[in-house]
Amino acid sequence: MNRIYLIGFMGCGKSAVGRRLSFLLKLPFYDMDKEIVRQVGKTIPEIFEQHGEEYFRQLETQFLRNFKQDHCIISTGGGVTMRKENQKIMRNTGLVLFLDAPFREIWRRIHRDPNRPIVRQSTREEIEALHKSRYKAYKQTAHITIRTEFRTLRQITQYAAFQVNRLKGE
Ligand SMILES: Nc1ncnc2c1ncn2[C@@H]1O[C@H](COP(=O)(O)OP(=O)(O)OP(=O)(O)O)[C@@H](O)[C@H]1O
Ligand SMILES: O=C(O)C1=C[C@@H](O)[C@@H](O)[C@H](O)C1
Ligand SMILES: [Mg+2]
């Protein structure tokens, strides 16, 4: 299968870049968080509150196992890359791009967002530690790491498209 997965921490730009890349490469775009919300009929904060985080993690893995569409772009949730099984599915079914944004920028983007339950319950220090603890998994799972600092969304999207085409040509 030949999908493009965007991985990385909350707020690194997966959804924003995914939408633009979909337009540029003329491929359908799926946002995993949105797909899960649609399937379950509950918001992410509701899923976390009513069923717990572990249940949400199971929904993420189920989504990856059951999703059938080929030739598409998928922006993943920030925690998806932590499970080994998810890492394997993504690497075996597509090209994995990690959007590597600096933490202070991530924090500026996410700290007031009420739709991110993990952020709502934690201090800046705790979220920074989470970012640090996840970094290696993002890096190791990705075929390509794209550093987003000092780049506009347009530049990141163009660079991602360039890398995708380069790897397809190999
Ligand atoms: N390089 C960038 N320059 C300017 N703004 C950006 C950049 N990348 C992302 N943003 C903005 O930051 C916000 C968060 O980005 P986005 O929602 O795409 O993150 P995400 O990785 O999908 O997060 P989540 O894991 O929570 O789904 C959005 O408002 C987006 O437009
Ligand atoms: O980083 C995370 O663990 C999360 C990121 C979001 O995309 C959502 O998937 C959810 O809020 C959990
Ligand atoms: Mg997103």
Side-chain angles (χ1 to χ4, degrees):
M1 277 205 258
N2 227 328
R3 299 177 183 151
I4 298 164
Y5 292 96
L6 294 166
I7 66 167
F9 202 73
M10 288 173 271
C12 71
K14 300 178 297 289
S15 302
V17 171
R19 266 193 306 275
R20 283 167 177 77
L21 196 59
S22 140
F23 188 72
L24 195 66
L25 298 178
K26 300 191 172 46
L27 291 172
F29 172 62
Y30 299 91
D31 189 309
M32 255 180 90
D33 284 334
K34 289 215 175 94
E35 292 299 313
I36 290 171
V37 166
R38 200 170 52 80
Q39 281 173 11
V40 179
K42 291 178 183 174
T43 66
I44 290 180
E46 280 168 355
I47 299 172
F48 269 68
E49 273 156 33
Q50 294 171 18
H51 306 279
E53 180 172 349
E54 187 50 31
Y55 179 75
F56 178 71
R57 299 302 172 201
Q58 283 169 21
L59 293 176
E60 290 182 320
T61 301
Q62 260 172 37
F63 173 86
L64 283 176
R65 280 188 199 148
N66 299 333
F67 194 62
K68 296 284 178 268
Q69 171 103 31
D70 195 8
H71 297 290
C72 62
I73 298 169
I74 302 177
S75 90
T76 61
V80 168
T81 310
M82 298 314 113
R83 280 198 176 187
K84 283 265 181 304
E85 179 179 352
N86 300 348
Q87 295 173 3
K88 262 196 208 146
I89 296 174
M90 292 193 289
R91 279 193 70 98
N92 289 339
T93 56
L95 189 70
V96 185
L97 306 179
F98 167 33
L99 298 182
D100 183 6
F103 181 76
R104 64 179 180 292
E105 186 58 30
I106 284 175
W107 180 253
R108 196 181 62 75
R109 289 179 196 157
I110 68 175
H111 75 282
R112 283 204 199 96
D113 189 340
N115 294 314
R116 303 178 196 268
I118 291 181
V119 178
R120 250 182 5 190
Q121 300 155 4
S122 318
T123 63
R124 179 186 166 125
E125 286 67 33
E126 283 164 345
I127 297 297
E128 187 161 18
L130 185 67
H131 175 256
K132 222 173 168 181
S133 73
R134 287 178 172 182
Y135 190 82
K136 202 167 141 197
Y138 294 134
K139 194 91 191 163
Q140 287 178 345
T141 305
H143 294 100
I144 307 268
T145 295
I146 301 177
R147 294 193 59 177
T148 67
E149 197 175 14
F150 310 126
R151 284 181 163 141
T152 62
L153 282 167
R154 189 190 157 97
Q155 287 169 328
I156 294 161
T157 308
Q158 281 177 342
Y159 183 69
F162 168 77
Q163 291 292 348
V164 168
N165 287 327
R166 184 179 67 80
L167 285 166
K168 263 204 288 188
E170 269 180 8

